[in-house]
Amino acid sequence: MHNRWLRLAEFAVWTAGATAAVVATTAVPSFLFGSGLLTLKYVLFVVGVLLFGLGSFAIQPESPAQLRPEQSPSDRGATTRIPRPRQFSTEGTDEFGVEARLAELPPMRGRLPFDDRVGRDAKLFVTSLLVLAVSAALEFVVGV
């Protein structure tokens, strides 16, 4: 299987798994303490909006480096680049245990190294859209 298709498969499995985990995690208290599907729809909407906010900050590109005049008298007019740190990111250098288990599922079977996968920031953003889609499906398809 081509590396691009493996990346896409891993991306789809990760986002679907994260969406299922969010729905399952919010379904339990919604049915125990709320009015079932109606509460689940509202909780998924709120969680989806929060994830959308985090994801949209996370996928922002790094800001361009600021230019600041050099203070050295020998280099008049020279500038140096001082990069700004990113505001928020979920990226890391280590693979989570859940990610390792997902990478062993049939489409990938461990053939895609961690460094070649789509970043967590993009996955978080798409997961937020999927959670909002489940909330909308409860509203428009199920009629809750």
Side-chain angles (χ1 to χ4, degrees):
M1 199 180 249
H2 195 269
N3 195 20
R4 181 176 14 175
W5 295 108
L6 286 174
R7 284 175 53 109
L8 182 62
E10 191 271 336
F11 180 78
V13 167
W14 196 99
T15 55
T19 302
V22 168
V23 171
T25 302
T26 57
V28 172
S30 296
F31 283 99
L32 288 177
F33 304 115
S35 58
L37 288 177
L38 181 65
T39 305
L40 177 63
K41 176 182 74 167
Y42 289 132
V43 170
L44 285 176
F45 178 76
V46 170
V47 170
V49 168
L50 291 173
L51 287 174
F52 183 82
L54 289 174
S56 62
F57 277 119
I59 64 171
Q60 293 296 314
E62 291 188 30
S63 62
Q66 290 180 328
L67 292 176
R68 186 172 71 182
E70 182 68 36
Q71 300 299 324
S72 169
S74 64
D75 296 332
R76 296 192 192 273
T79 58
T80 57
R81 292 188 176 273
I82 301 172
R84 291 184 193 175
R86 289 186 71 171
Q87 298 293 333
F88 174 78
S89 178
T90 59
E91 298 297 331
T93 57
D94 295 332
E95 181 178 41
F96 294 144
V98 173
E99 291 173 326
R101 287 191 290 277
L102 287 175
E104 293 300 323
L105 290 176
M108 288 83 61
R109 296 203 191 273
R111 295 184 298 190
L112 187 66
F114 179 71
D115 294 336
D116 291 342
R117 299 178 193 166
V118 177
R120 286 187 198 124
D121 293 340
K123 292 174 186 175
L124 177 66
F125 183 74
V126 172
T127 300
S128 72
L129 296 177
L130 292 175
V131 169
L132 288 171
V134 170
S135 177
L138 285 173
E139 174 76 23
F140 299 119
V141 177
V142 181
V144 176

